[in-house]
Amino acid sequence: MSLACRAGCGACCIAPSISSAIPGMPHGKPAGVGCVQLTDDNRCAIFGRPERPKVCGGLRPEASMCGPDRDHALAWITRLERATSASPV
């Protein structure tokens, strides 16, 4: 079952790094930095538009990621970011 984005969250627009260009951020963004396309109510201003990075479209909200609140979602996506960007030991 697919979830809808939680109002006031924006975790998926803050926690992950994005290496591809984003309108207003031609070099992408580092992890932990809010995307310039994140609106005042923490929604994506370019959701569903062709200029939205493919990585964003591939991230689908689900119960394990989003959890009960924004803090859970930020922590979960931050852990995922660290796990997928860490150098092999």
Side-chain angles (χ1 to χ4, degrees):
M1 180 169 90
S2 176
L3 298 176
C5 289
R6 177 185 296 117
C9 183
C12 59
C13 298
I14 298 168
S17 61
I18 299 175
S19 58
S20 58
I22 304 164
M25 298 180 102
H27 304 290
K29 68 170 218 63
V33 172
C35 176
V36 298
Q37 297 299 329
L38 189 61
T39 64
D40 290 340
D41 64 349
N42 287 326
R43 295 188 181 264
C44 177
I46 57 173
F47 186 84
R49 294 176 53 187
E51 60 270 28
R52 184 174 179 223
K54 288 183 183 186
V55 68
C56 298
L59 185 62
R60 304 279 185 211
E62 57 183 59
S64 62
M65 178 177 77
C66 298
D69 55 38
R70 180 179 195 258
D71 291 337
H72 173 93
L74 277 169
W76 196 96
I77 299 170
T78 297
R79 282 192 305 274
L80 177 63
E81 171 68 25
R82 287 182 183 146
T84 59
S85 65
S87 300
V89 184

